[in-house]
Amino acid sequence: MGSTSYFNRWGDEAGQAVMQRLMILVAKALPVGGGRLVETTGDGAFLVWPTVQTAVQSLIALRTEIDQDNQDIPGDHRLAVRIGLHFGSVLADGNLVTGEAVNLCARVTALADDGQIVLTRAAYIEMPAQGRVPARSLPPQVLKGLPVPIE
C-alpha cells in the first residue's frame, strides 16, 4: 500500500507514526556509510554519501533494518520502501544539494518496487569491482524530462 492510501485509510497520526519509524531506521543506517539526510518531502527522504560504495553499504543496512522492523508489524502497517541510487556531480551549499544528478536519482527511485534498490549504470560502474554487489541489469529506461533512455 502506498503512503497516500495508507494515510487515507488509517489517518494522519498512523501515517506520521509510520514515517517516524522509517526515519529512525534511516538514522540507524546512515552512519554505516557516512551519509546524511538532506531533506524529507512527504513520504520520501533525500540522502547523500561520499561514495557510491558507502551509499550501497548504508542502503543495504537500511533494507536489513526495515526487514527486521517489519517482522513484528501487521501487514498493512509494514514499511514499504523504494530506493534509487545515482552517481554524479551536484551543487551543494552545506545544506542544500541540487543538480541534474539529484533529479535523475528521483526518477530512478520511481522505477523501484517495494524492497528494491535500483541504481543507474553510472552508479554501478563507480563502485570498485571487488565491492560490487550482485545486480540484475534492466533494459534502458525512458525517464520523464530526459532526452535519452538511462541504463
Side-chain angles (χ1 to χ4, degrees):
M1 171 186 317
S3 64
T4 301
S5 299
Y6 187 89
F7 273 80
N8 284 334
R9 181 171 180 193
W10 299 100
D12 289 342
E13 288 180 17
Q16 183 180 28
V18 168
M19 291 306 303
Q20 286 175 336
R21 275 184 31 232
L22 176 59
M23 290 300 105
I24 289 167
L25 297 177
V26 166
K28 285 182 179 180
L30 279 174
V32 170
R36 75 175 176 94
L37 173 67
V38 175
E39 67 180 328
T40 61
T41 55
D43 64 352
F46 174 38
L47 314 167
V48 296
W49 289 268
T51 69
V52 172
Q53 185 69 29
T54 57
V56 169
Q57 291 168 347
S58 288
L59 293 172
I60 290 171
L62 177 59
R63 282 295 334 148
T64 301
E65 292 282 348
I66 290 169
D67 291 343
Q68 289 173 351
D69 182 74
N70 279 342
Q71 289 178 0
D72 300 325
I73 305 293
D76 284 349
H77 303 287
R78 290 186 177 149
L79 291 170
V81 179
R82 298 177 299 146
I83 299 172
L85 177 63
H86 178 58
F87 167 80
S89 298
V90 296
L91 301 173
D93 69 0
N95 291 318
L96 186 62
V97 179
T98 59
E100 184 179 336
V102 174
N103 297 331
L104 176 55
C105 190
R107 301 286 189 238
V108 169
T109 302
L111 297 173
D113 289 327
D114 173 37
Q116 283 187 316
I117 300 172
V118 176
L119 63 156
T120 61
R121 179 172 291 281
Y124 189 76
I125 290 171
E126 183 62 22
M127 288 190 293
Q130 70 277 13
R132 289 184 186 152
V133 294
R136 179 175 50 92
S137 181
L138 299 174
Q141 302 289 311
V142 175
L143 300 176
K144 180 181 171 186
L146 299 174
V148 296
I150 299 295
E151 292 186 66

